[in-house]
Amino acid sequence: MLGYDISWAAFNIIEVMSASKFTFKRIGYLAASQCFHEGTDVIMLTTNQIRKDLSSPNQYDTGVALTGLSCFVTPDLARDLANDIMTLMSHTKPYIRKKAVLIMYKVFLKYPESLRPAFPRLKEKLEDPDPGVQSAAVNVICELARRNPKNYLSLAPLFFKLMTSSTNNWVLIKIIKLFGALTPLEPRLGKKLIEPLTNLIHSTSAMSLLYECVNTVIAVLISLSSGMPNHSASIQLCVQKLRILIEDSDQNLKYLGLLAMSKILKTHPKSVQSHKDLILQCLDDKDESIRLRALDLLYGMVSKKNLMEIVKKLMIHVDKAEGTTYRDELLTKIIDICSQSNYQYITNFEWYISILVELTRLEGTRHGHLIAAQMLDVAIRVKAIRKFAVSQMAMLLDNAHLIASNTQRNGICEVLYAAAWICGEFSEHLEEANQTLEAMLRPKVTTLPGHIQAVYVQNMVKLYASILQQKEQAGEKEAAQEITQLMIERLPQFVQSADLEVQERASCILQLIKYIQKLQVKEVPVAEEVIALFAGELNPVAPKAQKKVPVPEGLDLDAWINEPPSDSESEDEKPKTIFHEEEQRHSRHRQPEIDEEELARRREARKQEQANNPFYIKSSPSPQKRYQDTPGVEHIPVVQIDLSVPLKVPGMPMSDQYVKLEEERRHKQKLEKDKKKKKQKKEKRGKHHRHNSLHTESEEDIAPAHHVDIITEEMPENALPSDEDDKDPNDPYKALDIDLDKPLADSEKLPVQRHRNVETLKSPDSEVPLVEKKSKKPKKKEKKHKDKERDKGKKKEKEKKVVEEEEEEEKKGEDLDFWLSTAPPTAPTPQAQSEPGTGTAVVAESQEVKKEEREEQDEEEEDEGKKSSKHKKKKHKKEKEEKSKDKKKSKKKSHHSEEEPPVSVQNGTLEDEPLPPMSSYRLLAENPYIKMTYDIQGNLQHDSQVTVSVIFENKSTSFLKSMELNVLDSLNTKMLRPEGSSVHDGIPVPFQLPPGISNEAQFVFTLQSIVMAQKLKGTLSFIVKNDEGSTHEKLDFKLHFSCASYLITTPCYSDAFAKLLESGDLHMSSIKVDGISISFQHLLAKICFHHHFSVVERVDSCASMYSRSIQGHHVCLLVKKGENSVSIDGKCNDSTLLSNLLDEMKETLSKC
Amino acid sequence: KCNTNTQSEWKKSEDTQQQIIRETFHLVSKRDENVCNFLEGGLLIGGSDNKLIYRHYATLYFVFCVDSSESELGILDLIQVFVETLDKCFENVCELDLIFHVDKVHNILAEMVMGGMVLETNMNEIVTQIDAQNKLEKSEAGLAGAPARAVSAVKNMNLPEIPRNINIGDISIKVPNLPTFK
């Protein structure tokens, strides 16, 4: 707290938290929120206290508890308190509700299992009457969706409605940001959005909202235009608008403009490139944030043409920059820009090397290792540049004192590491090898960091070897002996080094050279043998190569090499033997594991032995020698530069020359081209090299200065391609990647305290278990609860009129498709043809209709926002519509069918061709008193259960009570009865029906086989009570379980779908139905609706569909529409199920 | 002066906290008057997804650290709301108010931002809630007799000694006489 550790007071804080007075409690929670964290051990003591405070009658007690909890929630706390917080989400006070909603995000993060049970409630809160609660819910869902947008696509219609109705800028910003994240996943969404977004842009006065709108419009355009070139004009427009922002005098807008620009840059670099002038201008800005943003932009803007120019500008900035952080940033950016996509934009590597050398003159940079890595990379991979690189590096080594003289801690001396290595490895290119060797042997070198000295020592020998060879070939024996003498004189300074590595290498080498000296005295030619020490070429290896080496067949890395001690002997019993065994194994392992150094030393010794063995026959001349005469090196235009290099005074920029040179060269090239190129010879030469595909030269006419052979990094043979490398397994948000559309399972309840748990009516439905658990009397309270929520603003008159039917989650998938289908991506469907406007026009119109309808309804009821999602209730609503024909009176009471515009309006298809009202509820039985309709839903979590929802509608003027439903079980299908009751007992319907009222009850059935449709006989008995008295009545019915009712709408992605079809273990069957007149769109909707399928992909008049049975059968359909007929090909694991399904489908389709 | 509101998402060791505050102050205080109000996140504040957004009022800096899910301009507005709320609650807020009533500042902030997420942006709503809570505190104090009671209650709380005050030398262990074994 306030910078001091007060963990010692943790327990006292808890004491204050549990004070009864709010004053103290607040202080306690404040302190806790400041200093408690995951590791605080006393935190688990707070669980009960917090629970008590959460249920306190004082709203501020609850408030501070929530606020405090939000800061120190742990997985344990989250698990234990999730249910209490869920309860608070429907608290009467909006102040508590909004806090409870917001804290749920924290709970989800710590306890991801709670997300699915809590989500329906959270969704409800999106339409809370209180704007604060609403905004909190939007906040939470947006935060969730930001990490895993695809799970929240189905909420798009709801958010769309919020966006068009909300006036709260905060909420709007959040929603718009969310849409920005969703559009890349669903391009159709983008089309819908453009219109309302433009409206917002025109109408809003808030700059923040405006900016977010523009941002999302950009995201939409990007998602739309990928692949379609005709949108580049609108992108251009956006860029132009952003330019205005950037040119604004307000620095904040300038910054944000640049930020948005970088988004466009990712997909449309060309359109941003034209504003290079502006970006470069921003580099001169006095504000560091703006400069950094501009730098980011530059990264994407470079091309072969402008790279040199841009880097030149940046170099000027490097010199001018005052702060080290900014200068470091510039440096890394320069390197990033140049090295991006495998040096794609570099045409002249000499220029690049000199840039790198110039960068070494920067003072106080931390990025020495970066420069060093680049030098090494370029020198190794670009063979043609080696000669030049070596000369530059030799110069660096020569001037090492300049670099190293800056304080010891200086990161820049890292470049010496690279310089020494390059000079050593490619020593055959060195002109003045003697001089360089001397430079490396200077006493000053010993002040360098250990790892650099080690490289120095190692590479000295390489240099020495090549010098030795030169001299011997030239027959200058004395010179050769001189150089040996020099080594022997200077090496001892390294032998004394405190760094182990340096010491070891130095003493090894010293002995080697002493031996050489002996041989030299005897006038034995040794150069060949010495140079053989370093024979062979080093190839670059890709950083991930090691990981990608495939495991050879038959090798199981997880298998024990030695059988583990058997489990039967517990370790406690025989610790000694196990220990003994282990030790043995240990020692056996140890032998082959000789450390690297040792190995190297041995190898060296062996080589030395070989070198000195006159009988040892060397296999072949060293490959190093071989590539000296490879083509490619000779035609580098080094002549002029070579002259300038020795004259160079360190500190003077020289890369500028290259810029000039390059210009001249390009000019010349142009001229050459005009004169009908004679270049063909040159090109032929270029073909000797493995031409890198990156140098396609198609982008511009600039040919690289020299045909450079960029060696690609080596990968092991048959490396496994995998993209998994980049995923972070520790991402906390990954746990929240949960499919929210799946129906909720019973097992997914939130943990509750025992004593609250009351026996519950077993219902697999999504919402019920949670609600029930909270209350002692499940049904009644639930009813009240919900009414309260919904009717809060209203009078109580409407209370208990109609009890909510349960939401049907599974429909959401379809809803989204319907909702989006206003602007189908393919050719216009019939309904769109009759309406000339585009998709957005339809939306606008449909919105108008919505508004009109709303105005009508407003007379009856004011509050639109209180309704729970209409999408969830669509089914119910439709059903109501059907019924409402013959019951005018009850129409007004059943508020859903009234207030919400009909489904088809939402689809935007009302005007021309409304979707026929569809209801999955079928008639079960009817008599003058009562009408029963039913629907069967599969239950994904129980592979042998289905839920039958029956709506009982009282048609009479009497009161119906004591209803009891009984079914004659078959062998295969049985009704789930409460424990202890016999098979012949009926199940009481948990409500009574006043006249004209309908209500729904659910019954669970267990089945064994689901491949066949089944029928069950049953009876409903009830008592009719009216003024004249009461009579006992009965109604018989037949419950028909169709095969489709065992299917659960399951979304499927096309790639998964394709894989499924490929797998080949599906049975195939097909049907054809003639005389189909409805549109394909409606046909699909029908199949989706009645048979629980979802559309995987749709192309013109052909669609693939998918569904899954409760027992996990996959069912795939291919639906094709011909002139007047429809053919359906089906594939399924079970052929009986498939043929039954297709028969059912045939029946449905033949009706239309 | 610098008032850094490190949002509660940042649970770090005390050292890191102090370092963050120092670093932030260092960054922010150097900036000119008319430059933009955003600072790119360094490693300390959690990588490139995070930004510092600040506003400068006389001698005070209000710094928020937010990730990319927040709207930049929106946060600037939020800071404005925060400052205006402070002004209302303290009646002409000044630096001393913030220093001597850190708890109140935190309470106000807690009404606006909860667990790192924006809770309420409507100033009137915030002020109402704060006032109601203050009233509640006052009424409690009234019942208890005097605010002094609260002070004494806190004082009398059984705080353990801070380790350096523990004097081990004073502790003498008495060994009871044990019957001798035969």
PDB file of all heavy atoms in Angstrom, chain A residues 464 468 472 477 480-481 484 515-530 611-614 618:
ATOM      1  N   TYR A 464      44.991 -17.084 -38.516  1.00  0.00           N
ATOM      2  CA  TYR A 464      46.387 -17.533 -38.515  1.00  0.00           C
ATOM      3  C   TYR A 464      46.565 -18.646 -39.533  1.00  0.00           C
ATOM      4  O   TYR A 464      47.517 -18.657 -40.319  1.00  0.00           O
ATOM      5  CB  TYR A 464      46.728 -18.024 -37.110  1.00  0.00           C
ATOM      6  CG  TYR A 464      48.004 -18.807 -37.004  1.00  0.00           C
ATOM      7  CD1 TYR A 464      49.242 -18.145 -37.092  1.00  0.00           C
ATOM      8  CD2 TYR A 464      47.983 -20.178 -36.821  1.00  0.00           C
ATOM      9  CE1 TYR A 464      50.410 -18.868 -37.004  1.00  0.00           C
ATOM     10  CE2 TYR A 464      49.158 -20.901 -36.722  1.00  0.00           C
ATOM     11  CZ  TYR A 464      50.363 -20.244 -36.815  1.00  0.00           C
ATOM     12  OH  TYR A 464      51.537 -20.959 -36.717  1.00  0.00           O
ATOM     13  N   LEU A 468      49.009 -18.495 -42.676  1.00  0.00           N
ATOM     14  CA  LEU A 468      50.048 -19.509 -42.782  1.00  0.00           C
ATOM     15  C   LEU A 468      50.039 -20.141 -44.174  1.00  0.00           C
ATOM     16  O   LEU A 468      51.085 -20.315 -44.822  1.00  0.00           O
ATOM     17  CB  LEU A 468      49.794 -20.596 -41.729  1.00  0.00           C
ATOM     18  CG  LEU A 468      51.014 -21.318 -41.195  1.00  0.00           C
ATOM     19  CD1 LEU A 468      51.964 -20.299 -40.570  1.00  0.00           C
ATOM     20  CD2 LEU A 468      50.590 -22.344 -40.172  1.00  0.00           C
ATOM     21  N   GLU A 472      53.015 -19.933 -46.915  1.00  0.00           N
ATOM     22  CA  GLU A 472      53.674 -21.155 -47.360  1.00  0.00           C
ATOM     23  C   GLU A 472      53.592 -21.322 -48.856  1.00  0.00           C
ATOM     24  O   GLU A 472      54.551 -21.732 -49.506  1.00  0.00           O
ATOM     25  CB  GLU A 472      53.064 -22.366 -46.659  1.00  0.00           C
ATOM     26  CG  GLU A 472      53.958 -22.857 -45.552  1.00  0.00           C
ATOM     27  CD  GLU A 472      53.377 -24.057 -44.847  1.00  0.00           C
ATOM     28  OE1 GLU A 472      52.730 -24.894 -45.521  1.00  0.00           O
ATOM     29  OE2 GLU A 472      53.569 -24.151 -43.626  1.00  0.00           O
ATOM     30  N   LYS A 477      58.904 -18.525 -45.893  1.00  0.00           N
ATOM     31  CA  LYS A 477      58.946 -19.296 -44.654  1.00  0.00           C
ATOM     32  C   LYS A 477      59.190 -18.423 -43.436  1.00  0.00           C
ATOM     33  O   LYS A 477      58.646 -18.642 -42.357  1.00  0.00           O
ATOM     34  CB  LYS A 477      60.015 -20.378 -44.752  1.00  0.00           C
ATOM     35  CG  LYS A 477      59.512 -21.548 -45.561  1.00  0.00           C
ATOM     36  CD  LYS A 477      60.510 -22.652 -45.626  1.00  0.00           C
ATOM     37  CE  LYS A 477      59.977 -23.735 -46.545  1.00  0.00           C
ATOM     38  NZ  LYS A 477      61.041 -24.412 -47.288  1.00  0.00           N
ATOM     39  N   ALA A 480      56.152 -16.706 -42.303  1.00  0.00           N
ATOM     40  CA  ALA A 480      55.260 -17.656 -41.620  1.00  0.00           C
ATOM     41  C   ALA A 480      55.710 -17.878 -40.183  1.00  0.00           C
ATOM     42  O   ALA A 480      54.899 -17.918 -39.252  1.00  0.00           O
ATOM     43  CB  ALA A 480      55.230 -18.969 -42.380  1.00  0.00           C
ATOM     44  N   GLN A 481      57.023 -17.992 -40.021  1.00  0.00           N
ATOM     45  CA  GLN A 481      57.525 -18.201 -38.662  1.00  0.00           C
ATOM     46  C   GLN A 481      57.319 -16.976 -37.791  1.00  0.00           C
ATOM     47  O   GLN A 481      57.033 -17.075 -36.601  1.00  0.00           O
ATOM     48  CB  GLN A 481      59.007 -18.575 -38.714  1.00  0.00           C
ATOM     49  CG  GLN A 481      59.173 -20.046 -39.091  1.00  0.00           C
ATOM     50  CD  GLN A 481      60.613 -20.455 -39.225  1.00  0.00           C
ATOM     51  OE1 GLN A 481      61.518 -19.639 -39.019  1.00  0.00           O
ATOM     52  NE2 GLN A 481      60.841 -21.701 -39.583  1.00  0.00           N
ATOM     53  N   THR A 484      53.875 -16.963 -36.486  1.00  0.00           N
ATOM     54  CA  THR A 484      53.739 -17.931 -35.403  1.00  0.00           C
ATOM     55  C   THR A 484      54.309 -17.364 -34.116  1.00  0.00           C
ATOM     56  O   THR A 484      53.712 -17.481 -33.038  1.00  0.00           O
ATOM     57  CB  THR A 484      54.475 -19.233 -35.763  1.00  0.00           C
ATOM     58  OG1 THR A 484      54.142 -19.601 -37.087  1.00  0.00           O
ATOM     59  CG2 THR A 484      54.126 -20.337 -34.805  1.00  0.00           C
ATOM     60  N   TYR A 515      53.380 -26.274 -30.997  1.00  0.00           N
ATOM     61  CA  TYR A 515      53.697 -27.491 -31.729  1.00  0.00           C
ATOM     62  C   TYR A 515      53.995 -27.164 -33.191  1.00  0.00           C
ATOM     63  O   TYR A 515      54.922 -27.690 -33.801  1.00  0.00           O
ATOM     64  CB  TYR A 515      52.531 -28.460 -31.620  1.00  0.00           C
ATOM     65  CG  TYR A 515      52.854 -29.836 -32.113  1.00  0.00           C
ATOM     66  CD1 TYR A 515      53.586 -30.713 -31.309  1.00  0.00           C
ATOM     67  CD2 TYR A 515      52.466 -30.263 -33.380  1.00  0.00           C
ATOM     68  CE1 TYR A 515      53.904 -31.965 -31.763  1.00  0.00           C
ATOM     69  CE2 TYR A 515      52.792 -31.517 -33.835  1.00  0.00           C
ATOM     70  CZ  TYR A 515      53.520 -32.383 -33.016  1.00  0.00           C
ATOM     71  OH  TYR A 515      53.838 -33.634 -33.463  1.00  0.00           O
ATOM     72  N   ILE A 516      53.161 -26.281 -33.736  1.00  0.00           N
ATOM     73  CA  ILE A 516      53.363 -25.866 -35.130  1.00  0.00           C
ATOM     74  C   ILE A 516      54.741 -25.239 -35.294  1.00  0.00           C
ATOM     75  O   ILE A 516      55.458 -25.482 -36.271  1.00  0.00           O
ATOM     76  CB  ILE A 516      52.262 -24.880 -35.571  1.00  0.00           C
ATOM     77  CG1 ILE A 516      50.910 -25.590 -35.604  1.00  0.00           C
ATOM     78  CG2 ILE A 516      52.568 -24.278 -36.922  1.00  0.00           C
ATOM     79  CD1 ILE A 516      49.738 -24.668 -35.824  1.00  0.00           C
ATOM     80  N   GLN A 517      55.088 -24.447 -34.281  1.00  0.00           N
ATOM     81  CA  GLN A 517      56.383 -23.775 -34.371  1.00  0.00           C
ATOM     82  C   GLN A 517      57.518 -24.807 -34.469  1.00  0.00           C
ATOM     83  O   GLN A 517      58.440 -24.655 -35.279  1.00  0.00           O
ATOM     84  CB  GLN A 517      56.602 -22.893 -33.140  1.00  0.00           C
ATOM     85  CG  GLN A 517      57.707 -21.888 -33.348  1.00  0.00           C
ATOM     86  CD  GLN A 517      57.922 -21.041 -32.122  1.00  0.00           C
ATOM     87  OE1 GLN A 517      57.639 -21.460 -30.998  1.00  0.00           O
ATOM     88  NE2 GLN A 517      58.432 -19.831 -32.332  1.00  0.00           N
ATOM     89  N   LYS A 518      57.355 -25.832 -33.674  1.00  0.00           N
ATOM     90  CA  LYS A 518      58.376 -26.887 -33.709  1.00  0.00           C
ATOM     91  C   LYS A 518      58.499 -27.473 -35.108  1.00  0.00           C
ATOM     92  O   LYS A 518      59.593 -27.659 -35.633  1.00  0.00           O
ATOM     93  CB  LYS A 518      57.985 -28.004 -32.734  1.00  0.00           C
ATOM     94  CG  LYS A 518      58.697 -27.931 -31.410  1.00  0.00           C
ATOM     95  CD  LYS A 518      58.390 -29.200 -30.617  1.00  0.00           C
ATOM     96  CE  LYS A 518      58.089 -28.870 -29.172  1.00  0.00           C
ATOM     97  NZ  LYS A 518      57.398 -29.984 -28.501  1.00  0.00           N
ATOM     98  N   LEU A 519      57.332 -27.747 -35.685  1.00  0.00           N
ATOM     99  CA  LEU A 519      57.333 -28.321 -37.030  1.00  0.00           C
ATOM    100  C   LEU A 519      57.955 -27.362 -38.035  1.00  0.00           C
ATOM    101  O   LEU A 519      58.670 -27.752 -38.947  1.00  0.00           O
ATOM    102  CB  LEU A 519      55.917 -28.672 -37.454  1.00  0.00           C
ATOM    103  CG  LEU A 519      55.280 -29.879 -36.740  1.00  0.00           C
ATOM    104  CD1 LEU A 519      53.861 -30.069 -37.221  1.00  0.00           C
ATOM    105  CD2 LEU A 519      56.101 -31.129 -36.975  1.00  0.00           C
ATOM    106  N   GLN A 520      57.607 -26.075 -37.820  1.00  0.00           N
ATOM    107  CA  GLN A 520      58.119 -25.071 -38.762  1.00  0.00           C
ATOM    108  C   GLN A 520      59.639 -25.030 -38.728  1.00  0.00           C
ATOM    109  O   GLN A 520      60.296 -24.874 -39.751  1.00  0.00           O
ATOM    110  CB  GLN A 520      57.547 -23.699 -38.418  1.00  0.00           C
ATOM    111  CG  GLN A 520      56.200 -23.454 -39.063  1.00  0.00           C
ATOM    112  CD  GLN A 520      55.660 -22.092 -38.702  1.00  0.00           C
ATOM    113  OE1 GLN A 520      56.017 -21.528 -37.670  1.00  0.00           O
ATOM    114  NE2 GLN A 520      54.823 -21.554 -39.559  1.00  0.00           N
ATOM    115  N   VAL A 521      60.169 -25.154 -37.522  1.00  0.00           N
ATOM    116  CA  VAL A 521      61.624 -25.132 -37.395  1.00  0.00           C
ATOM    117  C   VAL A 521      62.222 -26.291 -38.193  1.00  0.00           C
ATOM    118  O   VAL A 521      63.250 -26.157 -38.850  1.00  0.00           O
ATOM    119  CB  VAL A 521      62.034 -25.214 -35.911  1.00  0.00           C
ATOM    120  CG1 VAL A 521      63.545 -25.354 -35.771  1.00  0.00           C
ATOM    121  CG2 VAL A 521      61.547 -23.972 -35.185  1.00  0.00           C
ATOM    122  N   LYS A 522      61.489 -27.414 -38.161  1.00  0.00           N
ATOM    123  CA  LYS A 522      61.980 -28.549 -38.933  1.00  0.00           C
ATOM    124  C   LYS A 522      61.666 -28.412 -40.416  1.00  0.00           C
ATOM    125  O   LYS A 522      61.867 -29.344 -41.192  1.00  0.00           O
ATOM    126  CB  LYS A 522      61.310 -29.831 -38.411  1.00  0.00           C
ATOM    127  CG  LYS A 522      61.802 -30.276 -37.057  1.00  0.00           C
ATOM    128  CD  LYS A 522      61.121 -31.582 -36.687  1.00  0.00           C
ATOM    129  CE  LYS A 522      61.155 -31.804 -35.193  1.00  0.00           C
ATOM    130  NZ  LYS A 522      60.069 -32.698 -34.774  1.00  0.00           N
ATOM    131  N   GLU A 523      61.043 -27.280 -40.767  1.00  0.00           N
ATOM    132  CA  GLU A 523      60.689 -26.962 -42.148  1.00  0.00           C
ATOM    133  C   GLU A 523      59.720 -27.977 -42.740  1.00  0.00           C
ATOM    134  O   GLU A 523      59.787 -28.341 -43.908  1.00  0.00           O
ATOM    135  CB  GLU A 523      61.952 -26.846 -43.003  1.00  0.00           C
ATOM    136  CG  GLU A 523      62.920 -25.832 -42.450  1.00  0.00           C
ATOM    137  CD  GLU A 523      63.665 -25.114 -43.540  1.00  0.00           C
ATOM    138  OE1 GLU A 523      63.760 -25.682 -44.640  1.00  0.00           O
ATOM    139  OE2 GLU A 523      64.101 -23.987 -43.301  1.00  0.00           O
ATOM    140  N   VAL A 524      58.813 -28.429 -41.914  1.00  0.00           N
ATOM    141  CA  VAL A 524      57.741 -29.286 -42.424  1.00  0.00           C
ATOM    142  C   VAL A 524      56.579 -28.372 -42.808  1.00  0.00           C
ATOM    143  O   VAL A 524      56.215 -27.488 -42.039  1.00  0.00           O
ATOM    144  CB  VAL A 524      57.268 -30.271 -41.320  1.00  0.00           C
ATOM    145  CG1 VAL A 524      56.208 -31.212 -41.870  1.00  0.00           C
ATOM    146  CG2 VAL A 524      58.446 -31.009 -40.749  1.00  0.00           C
ATOM    147  N   PRO A 525      56.002 -28.546 -43.994  1.00  0.00           N
ATOM    148  CA  PRO A 525      54.850 -27.707 -44.340  1.00  0.00           C
ATOM    149  C   PRO A 525      53.631 -28.110 -43.499  1.00  0.00           C
ATOM    150  O   PRO A 525      53.250 -29.281 -43.454  1.00  0.00           O
ATOM    151  CB  PRO A 525      54.624 -28.002 -45.815  1.00  0.00           C
ATOM    152  CG  PRO A 525      55.316 -29.296 -46.073  1.00  0.00           C
ATOM    153  CD  PRO A 525      56.393 -29.468 -45.067  1.00  0.00           C
ATOM    154  N   VAL A 526      53.090 -27.165 -42.815  1.00  0.00           N
ATOM    155  CA  VAL A 526      51.986 -27.473 -41.894  1.00  0.00           C
ATOM    156  C   VAL A 526      50.658 -26.832 -42.278  1.00  0.00           C
ATOM    157  O   VAL A 526      49.604 -27.204 -41.779  1.00  0.00           O
ATOM    158  CB  VAL A 526      52.325 -27.025 -40.460  1.00  0.00           C
ATOM    159  CG1 VAL A 526      53.310 -27.974 -39.839  1.00  0.00           C
ATOM    160  CG2 VAL A 526      52.819 -25.601 -40.459  1.00  0.00           C
ATOM    161  N   ALA A 527      50.718 -25.847 -43.148  1.00  0.00           N
ATOM    162  CA  ALA A 527      49.520 -25.014 -43.403  1.00  0.00           C
ATOM    163  C   ALA A 527      48.304 -25.856 -43.749  1.00  0.00           C
ATOM    164  O   ALA A 527      47.207 -25.595 -43.250  1.00  0.00           O
ATOM    165  CB  ALA A 527      49.819 -24.025 -44.527  1.00  0.00           C
ATOM    166  N   GLU A 528      48.504 -26.851 -44.597  1.00  0.00           N
ATOM    167  CA  GLU A 528      47.366 -27.669 -45.020  1.00  0.00           C
ATOM    168  C   GLU A 528      46.654 -28.292 -43.819  1.00  0.00           C
ATOM    169  O   GLU A 528      45.435 -28.279 -43.726  1.00  0.00           O
ATOM    170  CB  GLU A 528      47.840 -28.764 -45.982  1.00  0.00           C
ATOM    171  CG  GLU A 528      48.124 -28.275 -47.390  1.00  0.00           C
ATOM    172  CD  GLU A 528      46.881 -27.740 -48.085  1.00  0.00           C
ATOM    173  OE1 GLU A 528      45.825 -28.379 -47.961  1.00  0.00           O
ATOM    174  OE2 GLU A 528      46.957 -26.664 -48.715  1.00  0.00           O
ATOM    175  N   GLU A 529      47.461 -28.819 -42.934  1.00  0.00           N
ATOM    176  CA  GLU A 529      46.865 -29.491 -41.784  1.00  0.00           C
ATOM    177  C   GLU A 529      46.156 -28.502 -40.873  1.00  0.00           C
ATOM    178  O   GLU A 529      45.074 -28.781 -40.363  1.00  0.00           O
ATOM    179  CB  GLU A 529      47.941 -30.241 -40.970  1.00  0.00           C
ATOM    180  CG  GLU A 529      48.341 -31.561 -41.551  1.00  0.00           C
ATOM    181  CD  GLU A 529      49.568 -31.434 -42.429  1.00  0.00           C
ATOM    182  OE1 GLU A 529      49.840 -30.299 -42.892  1.00  0.00           O
ATOM    183  OE2 GLU A 529      50.249 -32.436 -42.648  1.00  0.00           O
ATOM    184  N   VAL A 530      46.794 -27.354 -40.682  1.00  0.00           N
ATOM    185  CA  VAL A 530      46.169 -26.371 -39.785  1.00  0.00           C
ATOM    186  C   VAL A 530      44.842 -25.906 -40.352  1.00  0.00           C
ATOM    187  O   VAL A 530      43.838 -25.786 -39.646  1.00  0.00           O
ATOM    188  CB  VAL A 530      47.117 -25.175 -39.554  1.00  0.00           C
ATOM    189  CG1 VAL A 530      46.436 -24.141 -38.690  1.00  0.00           C
ATOM    190  CG2 VAL A 530      48.404 -25.630 -38.924  1.00  0.00           C
ATOM    191  N   ALA A 611      46.323 -34.432 -38.161  1.00  0.00           N
ATOM    192  CA  ALA A 611      47.134 -33.495 -38.919  1.00  0.00           C
ATOM    193  C   ALA A 611      48.608 -33.856 -38.834  1.00  0.00           C
ATOM    194  O   ALA A 611      49.370 -33.658 -39.781  1.00  0.00           O
ATOM    195  CB  ALA A 611      46.914 -32.082 -38.385  1.00  0.00           C
ATOM    196  N   ASN A 612      48.950 -34.343 -37.684  1.00  0.00           N
ATOM    197  CA  ASN A 612      50.369 -34.654 -37.509  1.00  0.00           C
ATOM    198  C   ASN A 612      50.746 -36.045 -37.976  1.00  0.00           C
ATOM    199  O   ASN A 612      51.906 -36.408 -37.988  1.00  0.00           O
ATOM    200  CB  ASN A 612      50.742 -34.516 -36.042  1.00  0.00           C
ATOM    201  CG  ASN A 612      50.496 -33.107 -35.588  1.00  0.00           C
ATOM    202  OD1 ASN A 612      50.681 -32.185 -36.384  1.00  0.00           O
ATOM    203  ND2 ASN A 612      50.073 -32.932 -34.353  1.00  0.00           N
ATOM    204  N   ASN A 613      49.766 -36.823 -38.280  1.00  0.00           N
ATOM    205  CA  ASN A 613      50.043 -38.178 -38.715  1.00  0.00           C
ATOM    206  C   ASN A 613      50.357 -38.176 -40.206  1.00  0.00           C
ATOM    207  O   ASN A 613      49.483 -37.916 -41.028  1.00  0.00           O
ATOM    208  CB  ASN A 613      48.822 -39.047 -38.434  1.00  0.00           C
ATOM    209  CG  ASN A 613      49.105 -40.501 -38.681  1.00  0.00           C
ATOM    210  OD1 ASN A 613      50.126 -40.841 -39.293  1.00  0.00           O
ATOM    211  ND2 ASN A 613      48.215 -41.344 -38.224  1.00  0.00           N
ATOM    212  N   PRO A 614      51.567 -38.440 -40.548  1.00  0.00           N
ATOM    213  CA  PRO A 614      51.924 -38.371 -41.965  1.00  0.00           C
ATOM    214  C   PRO A 614      51.211 -39.446 -42.785  1.00  0.00           C
ATOM    215  O   PRO A 614      51.077 -39.303 -43.990  1.00  0.00           O
ATOM    216  CB  PRO A 614      53.426 -38.610 -41.960  1.00  0.00           C
ATOM    217  CG  PRO A 614      53.759 -39.211 -40.649  1.00  0.00           C
ATOM    218  CD  PRO A 614      52.711 -38.774 -39.703  1.00  0.00           C
ATOM    219  N   LYS A 618      44.123 -37.282 -46.224  1.00  0.00           N
ATOM    220  CA  LYS A 618      43.005 -36.343 -46.163  1.00  0.00           C
ATOM    221  C   LYS A 618      42.001 -36.650 -47.262  1.00  0.00           C
ATOM    222  O   LYS A 618      42.373 -36.990 -48.384  1.00  0.00           O
ATOM    223  CB  LYS A 618      43.488 -34.896 -46.284  1.00  0.00           C
ATOM    224  CG  LYS A 618      43.685 -34.304 -44.926  1.00  0.00           C
ATOM    225  CD  LYS A 618      44.893 -33.432 -44.832  1.00  0.00           C
ATOM    226  CE  LYS A 618      46.100 -34.128 -44.895  1.00  0.00           C
ATOM    227  NZ  LYS A 618      47.299 -34.285 -44.803  1.00  0.00           N
TER     228      LYS A 618
END
